Coordinates of all heavy atoms in Angstrom, one line a residue:
V298 N -13.4 15.6 -29.3 CA -14.6 16.4 -29.5 C -14.2 18.0 -29.3 O -14.5 18.8 -30.2 CB -15.8 16.1 -28.8 CG1 -17.0 17.1 -29.2 CG2 -16.3 14.7 -29.3
M299 N -13.5 18.2 -28.2 CA -13.1 19.6 -27.9 C -12.2 20.2 -29.1 O -12.4 21.3 -29.4 CB -12.4 19.7 -26.7 CG -13.3 19.5 -25.4 SD -12.4 19.4 -23.8 CE -11.8 21.1 -23.7
S300 N -11.2 19.4 -29.5 CA -10.4 19.9 -30.6 C -11.2 20.0 -31.9 O -11.0 20.9 -32.6 CB -9.2 18.9 -30.7 OG -9.6 17.7 -31.2
A301 N -12.2 19.1 -32.1 CA -13.0 19.1 -33.4 C -13.9 20.5 -33.3 O -14.0 21.1 -34.3 CB -13.8 18.0 -33.5
V302 N -14.5 20.9 -32.2 CA -15.3 21.9 -32.1 C -14.4 23.3 -32.2 O -14.9 24.3 -32.5 CB -16.2 22.0 -30.9 CG1 -17.2 20.8 -30.9 CG2 -15.5 22.1 -29.7
G303 N -13.0 23.2 -31.8 CA -12.2 24.0 -31.9 C -11.9 24.4 -33.4 O -11.7 25.5 -33.8
V304 N -11.9 23.4 -34.2 CA -11.7 23.6 -35.7 C -13.1 24.2 -36.4 O -12.9 25.1 -37.1 CB -11.6 22.1 -36.4 CG1 -11.6 22.2 -37.9 CG2 -10.2 21.6 -35.9
T305 N -14.2 23.8 -35.8 CA -15.4 24.4 -36.3 C -15.8 25.7 -35.8 O -16.9 26.3 -36.1 CB -16.5 23.5 -36.2 OG1 -16.8 23.1 -34.7 CG2 -16.4 22.0 -36.8
K306 N -15.1 26.2 -34.8 CA -15.3 27.5 -34.1 C -16.7 27.5 -33.4 O -17.3 28.5 -33.6 CB -15.2 28.7 -35.2 CG -13.9 28.6 -36.0 CD -12.7 28.8 -35.2 CE -11.4 28.9 -36.1 NZ -10.2 29.0 -35.1
S307 N -17.0 26.5 -32.9 CA -18.2 26.3 -32.1 C -18.0 26.0 -30.7 O -16.8 26.0 -30.2 CB -19.1 25.3 -32.8 OG -18.6 24.0 -32.9
S308 N -18.9 25.4 -30.0 CA -18.7 25.1 -28.6 C -19.4 23.6 -28.3 O -20.1 23.2 -29.2 CB -19.4 26.1 -27.5 OG -20.8 25.9 -27.7
L309 N -19.0 23.1 -27.3 CA -19.6 21.7 -27.0 C -21.2 21.8 -26.8 O -21.9 21.0 -27.3 CB -19.0 21.3 -25.6 CG -17.6 20.6 -25.5 CD1 -17.1 20.4 -24.2 CD2 -17.4 19.3 -26.4
A310 N -21.5 23.0 -26.2 CA -23.0 23.1 -26.1 C -23.7 23.3 -27.4 O -25.0 23.1 -27.5 CB -23.2 24.2 -25.2
D311 N -23.1 23.6 -28.5 CA -23.7 23.7 -29.7 C -24.0 22.4 -30.5 O -24.7 22.4 -31.5 CB -22.8 24.6 -30.7 CG -22.7 26.0 -30.2 OD1 -23.6 26.5 -29.6 OD2 -21.6 26.6 -30.5
Q312 N -23.5 21.3 -29.9 CA -23.5 20.0 -30.6 C -24.7 19.3 -30.4 O -25.4 19.4 -29.3 CB -22.3 19.2 -30.4 CG -20.9 20.0 -30.4 CD -20.7 20.7 -31.7 OE1 -20.9 20.1 -32.8 NE2 -20.3 22.0 -31.7
R313 N -25.1 18.3 -31.3 CA -26.1 17.3 -31.1 C -25.4 16.1 -31.3 O -24.8 15.7 -32.3 CB -27.2 17.5 -32.2 CG -28.0 18.8 -32.0 CD -29.1 19.0 -33.1 NE -28.5 18.9 -34.4 CZ -27.9 20.0 -35.0 NH1 -27.8 21.2 -34.4 NH2 -27.4 20.0 -36.3
F314 N -25.4 15.2 -30.3 CA -24.7 14.0 -30.3 C -25.5 12.8 -30.3 O -26.6 12.6 -29.6 CB -24.0 13.9 -28.8 CG -23.1 15.0 -28.5 CD1 -23.5 16.1 -27.9 CD2 -21.7 14.8 -28.8 CE1 -22.6 17.1 -27.5 CE2 -20.8 15.8 -28.4 CZ -21.2 17.0 -27.8
V315 N -25.2 11.9 -31.3 CA -25.8 10.5 -31.4 C -24.8 9.5 -31.1 O -23.7 9.4 -31.6 CB -26.4 10.2 -32.8 CG1 -26.7 8.7 -32.9 CG2 -27.6 11.1 -33.0
I316 N -25.0 8.7 -30.1 CA -24.0 7.7 -29.5 C -24.6 6.4 -29.9 O -25.7 6.0 -29.4 CB -23.9 7.8 -28.0 CG1 -23.7 9.3 -27.6 CG2 -22.7 6.9 -27.6 CD1 -22.4 10.0 -28.1

Side-chain angles (χ1 to χ4, degrees):
V298 174
M299 287 172 66
S300 64
V302 301
V304 171
T305 61
K306 308 299 183 186
S307 57
S308 69
L309 287 172
D311 294 330
Q312 312 309 311
R313 297 178 298 281
F314 299 87
V315 168
I316 314 293

